[in-house]
Every structure is written in C-alpha cells, then in structure tokens.
Amino acid sequence: MFDDVLQRLGLAEENSGVYAGEWIENPGGPVIESVNPATGEAIARVRTAARSDYDRGVEQAELAFRSWRMLPAPRRGEIVRQLGLALRERKADLGLLVTLEAGKITSEGEGEVQEMIDMCDFSVGLSRQLYGLTMPSERPGHRMFEQWHPLGPVGIITAFNFPVAVWAWNATLAAVCGDSTIWKPSPHTPLAAIAVQNIVNRVLADGGIDGGVFNLCTGAGTEAGEWLAEDPRVPLVSATGSCAMGRSVGAAIARRLGRGLLELGGNNAVVLSDKADRDLALRAALFAAAGTAGQRCTTLRRLFLHESIAEEFTDRLVAGYRSIPIGNPWEDGVLMGPLISEQAVERMMRALDAIREQGGEILCGGNRLDRPGNFVEPVIARVRPDMPIVAEETFAPILYVMAYHDLEEAILAHNSVDQGLSSAIFTDSLAEAERFLSHAGSDCGIANVNIGTSGAEIGG
C-alpha cells in the first residue's frame, strides 16, 4: 500500500541500520521488524549493530571530526542549510513514514519533519553567531578572550514518539558547532532513522563532505544506548526517553565524568482557574491530553479544576473525549491513532486497575478497540492528588482530573510529583498568571499561560 513511499526514501524489505561513514551491509546484531502499530503488520526488517559495528561508527565519527571541526562554521552551516532544503523535498514522504511507524496522525508526522526543517534554519543562523566574550585583563599588555571549541563525537539517543525531530534538535546544533554525531534511534522506529540517514548522505556527498560526520547505530534493545553512555570517546550524550532510561544513562555518563543532556518524562499538569476562558481551555486540554495517543513527553496528564467550575468542565471534557475520531492515523479526519506497542496497551490497562484500586473513578474510556492494532479509548479519571498512581507517568492517554479550592493549593499539588517538564495555567487574571510563573509557582522547565502543555518551540 505504501511501497512507493518506502522506495522513494531508499528503503527495502530488509535494510542495514548501521552507518559508519558508509553503510555496513551485514552488521552483526539481530534482525528486527518495524511494525505498523495501527495494523500490527511488519513494514520492513532492519539489521542491527553488534558491538564491533558500534565501535566502527565511533571510529568514523572521531576521524570525520578532525576535519569537520576545521571547516569554518558558516561552511558547516551551509551543509545544514542544504539538509533543510533536502528535508523540504521529502517532507510528505518522511512525514508519512513517521505516521506509519510511530502511529502519529499525518498532520503530526509532517509537523515533525517541519520541526527538523526549522531546526536546520535555526542552526544555520547560529553558525554565524558562535561568539565568545572579551574581558579586560588585570595583566598589563594582555588581553583575555573566550573561545568555544568543538567537543568531538556526540551521541544522540532518541525515542519512538519523536523519531526524527529529536535527532534534528541535537544533530543540527552539533554540526554547526563542529561536532560529529552517532545516532541511536528507538527500535520501534528504525526506518525513519534510516530514511533520514539516506537524505543526510546525499547532502554530504553533494557537498564533498566525509560521510562520517553523521553516523547511525540501530540497536535491537538498550545495548547500543548503554555503549554510548559508557564510552569515553563520546564526550557528550543527549538522551530522550523515560525517567528510568535517564537514571540509567545519566549514571553511566556521570561515572566517566562525561556530559549529558537528558530530556525525560513529564507528569504535566494544567491549572484551570475560574477566571479562565473555558472554551479555549477545553480545546487545549483535548489536544494536549489525547494528541499522539498520550505519548508525548509534554502530554497533559493532570488537570486541576477550580471547584466552582469542576463539574461543568469535566462534563464538557467527557463529551469531547467521546467525540474524538480514533482510527488509522493516515486517514483524513482521524485525531487519535494507536499506542506504539502491545506492551504500551498492557501498561495502560495496569494503570487503570491501579486507579480503581486506589479509589479513583473512570469517567470515560479505557476500553481496547476490537480491531487490529494497538487502539484504545482515551481515559478521563476523577482522582485525588495523593493517590500513588497520580505521581507516576503512564505513557498513554489517561487524564486525571482533580478539584482545588485556591491557587496556592493547586500549585502545591501541581509541584508534588517528581517530574517537571511542562505545565500551564489558564486564567484571565494577570496576578494568577504571574504567580504561576514566579519562583513560588510552577517548578517545571516549561510554564505556559493560556496554552496547553504539549509541544515546545525550537528556540526555547
């Protein structure tokens, strides 16, 4: 059905998932299948890396780094600009592949590729702004200045839910700074990574650049990520995924005194004031909580409602949930696709059992759809903030609703969980908004006013 798209992206029935300056045709790791989560059918097979293949990739990255770092930064930026142009040419095809492999609806799949393009544009500008400070010296006849140097090969570990954009967040910036990269994609979405590598290879070849600047190491499980985290040849590792993954990777990097960038889970919350535009909040909550089938790091998971509007807003939210079109993510009109895997469905069902056992109430949803694929109904659950399940992040479309009396109570409950990625308040009160943004407000890295928690702008 989608064979033409795969062919245009350079994909076959079986593909090497390891690029080390050139494609390693027969890497020594297991063969894995990329499965369409909407149908349960295999899209294609991928040959993964053994340790020797990984080592070859790092060696190529080290070798390419020596010459890449000496190119003027604007010249490196020009290569990244060409990459942005190539991604524009393949936006529809690559976006559809993201839809097929990750289960994201088509607007989100193409939106993810657009984010890659935007990152290329952003990085090109930065390639002419790699400034350092000049400072007065206390020594006579001296000057003192700050000069930033490239680090070396950068490891990039990405998750299934943003299979290509997260690579671009890291790789485009690393490239203009003079660093080479080794990419370890999720085993759920290896084809998207291979397709991107094919695009990158063409750009580098046209620019006369050594292919080892960008390398790919697909693993069958967690081993390749562990190799990167423990490898002293890789001075910086950027890893996106679960908190459990971050604890493991972060500890391994720290043991060797490496540098780590961790973008992990977020038990994200919205505080809905009685002074808010409730129509605006309703639309935002629906998308933030059910979009991407609840599988974003910035998905809305906890909703604190002022007690005076809690019942009415919850009723409207339940009605909205029951109208969400669920189906094949490539079909027009569908707003929610499948979960990524059978294991993800099982985790969601265990969380629903925990909600009931701890005294919560399922207001709508929670059933698995009787069809092929990993489809479920999105859930709204009425809970208490002190229930243990509320402090966990289940990577699924489960929204917890809770009533609060005053803003201080809401902020206290909001900040009571370990995670702290994204947050929002809906209010028309400037005082409430400023309180939420203040030192005594949200403890999250992202704090929004009158917009949902999901998503983040590349410039921030």
Side-chain angles (χ1 to χ4, degrees):
M1 178 179 177
F2 298 106
D3 289 348
D4 290 347
V5 172
L6 301 181
Q7 291 172 7
R8 288 195 295 270
L9 291 170
L11 298 167
E13 290 185 6
E14 186 165 308
N15 308 270
S16 171
V18 186
Y19 186 87
E22 61 182 5
W23 286 110
I24 298 178
E25 290 303 321
N26 293 294
V31 175
I32 61 174
E33 286 187 329
S34 171
V35 176
N36 184 332
T39 64
E41 298 174 351
I43 304 171
R45 297 181 300 278
V46 174
R47 300 185 294 278
T48 66
R51 178 63 198 237
S52 60
D53 304 311
Y54 164 80
D55 286 333
R56 183 172 165 187
V58 175
E59 290 163 6
Q60 287 299 313
E62 287 184 307
L63 185 63
F65 168 67
R66 296 171 193 169
S67 56
W68 179 249
R69 65 184 173 180
M70 298 309 295
L71 278 181
R75 173 77 175 108
R76 300 193 296 256
E78 173 59 19
I79 296 298
V80 173
R81 189 182 75 83
Q82 294 296 330
L83 174 59
L85 295 177
L87 289 169
R88 285 173 170 89
E89 295 174 2
R90 284 283 174 256
K91 179 178 176 179
D93 285 344
L94 187 55
L96 181 55
L97 180 59
V98 169
T99 291
L100 296 176
E101 203 171 31
K104 303 173 84 163
I105 62 175
T106 52
S107 61
E108 289 189 277
E110 289 198 16
E112 189 169 339
V113 182
Q114 184 60 50
E115 194 164 334
M116 301 177 76
I117 294 166
D118 294 342
M119 275 304 308
C120 288
D121 292 348
F122 182 63
S123 300
V124 171
L126 290 180
S127 71
R128 294 181 179 271
Q129 300 179 74
L130 300 178
Y131 306 135
L133 298 174
T134 58
M135 296 153 279
S137 173
E138 64 186 34
R139 301 179 179 91
H142 286 71
R143 70 184 178 97
M144 183 164 58
F145 65 95
E146 176 185 57
Q147 182 175 348
W148 295 89
H149 291 294
L151 280 172
V154 171
I156 303 171
I157 300 172
T158 60
F160 75 85
N161 58 334
F162 281 87
V164 292
V166 170
W167 172 83
W169 295 354
N170 293 278
T172 58
L173 293 174
V176 299
C177 290
D179 298 314
S180 56
T181 59
I182 308 104
W183 181 10
K184 187 272 178 193
S186 166
H188 289 297
T189 52
L191 298 180
I194 295 169
V196 170
Q197 186 70 52
N198 285 333
I199 295 169
V200 168
N201 292 348
R202 178 165 60 85
V203 171
L204 293 183
D206 290 346
I209 302 298
D210 187 329
V213 173
F214 298 95
N215 302 277
L216 179 66
C217 181
T218 305
T222 62
E223 293 87 354
E226 293 166 0
W227 298 335
L228 278 171
E230 296 168 356
D231 195 336
R233 297 172 296 178
V234 183
L236 171 65
V237 176
S238 175
T240 300
S242 68
C243 291
M245 180 279 293
R247 292 186 184 97
S248 173
V249 169
I253 296 170
R255 278 194 297 271
R256 61 179 176 87
L257 300 182
R259 305 186 192 190
L261 294 171
L262 302 179
E263 199 272 327
L264 308 175
N267 197 345
N268 313 296
V270 161
V271 175
L272 178 57
S273 166
D274 58 333
K275 302 175 183 65
D277 179 336
R278 296 199 282 279
D279 290 337
L280 175 67
L282 180 66
R283 293 191 297 271
L286 279 168
F287 174 75
T292 325
Q295 298 174 117
R296 285 176 175 244
C297 300
T298 52
T299 289
L300 171 60
R301 308 204 183 278
R302 298 177 296 142
L303 179 58
F304 297 99
L305 304 170
H306 190 271
E307 60 189 10
S308 66
I309 62 171
E311 185 173 350
E312 175 220 349
F313 192 85
T314 300
D315 288 344
R316 293 182 65 189
L317 197 58
V318 167
Y321 261 53
R322 287 175 173 157
S323 69
I324 294 173
I326 304 170
N328 291 329
W330 56 85
E331 294 178 356
D332 291 340
V334 170
L335 296 181
M336 182 176 143
L339 295 180
I340 189 64
S341 66
E342 178 65 30
Q343 291 75 20
V345 176
E346 293 171 357
R347 282 194 297 270
M348 177 176 173
M349 296 306 160
R350 288 196 297 271
L352 297 182
D353 290 340
I355 291 168
R356 298 182 184 99
E357 291 167 2
Q358 294 171 22
E361 178 186 2
I362 306 297
L363 301 180
C364 69
N367 297 308
R368 181 166 190 170
L369 301 190
D370 186 15
R371 54 170 293 168
N374 308 314
F375 290 93
V376 295
E377 296 172 337
V379 171
I380 298 175
R382 183 181 285 122
V383 298
R384 302 183 316 277
D386 62 346
M387 290 168 51
I389 189 64
V390 177
E392 299 178 16
E393 185 195 26
T394 303
F395 220 60
I398 302 174
L399 177 62
Y400 302 119
V401 295
M402 294 158 276
Y404 72 90
H405 176 67
D406 58 41
L407 184 58
E408 295 308 309
E409 176 192 344
I411 290 175
L412 184 64
H414 173 282
N415 292 349
S416 66
V417 300
D418 290 338
Q419 308 90 350
L421 182 53
S422 184
S423 62
I425 188 171
F426 281 80
T427 182
D428 286 341
S429 165
L430 183 60
E432 287 188 333
E434 289 298 326
R435 179 68 173 172
F436 188 77
L437 299 176
S438 75
H439 302 323
S442 169
D443 65 355
C444 292
I446 302 172
N448 301 287
V449 175
N450 292 333
I451 190 171
T453 58
S454 62
E457 296 193 36
I458 62 161

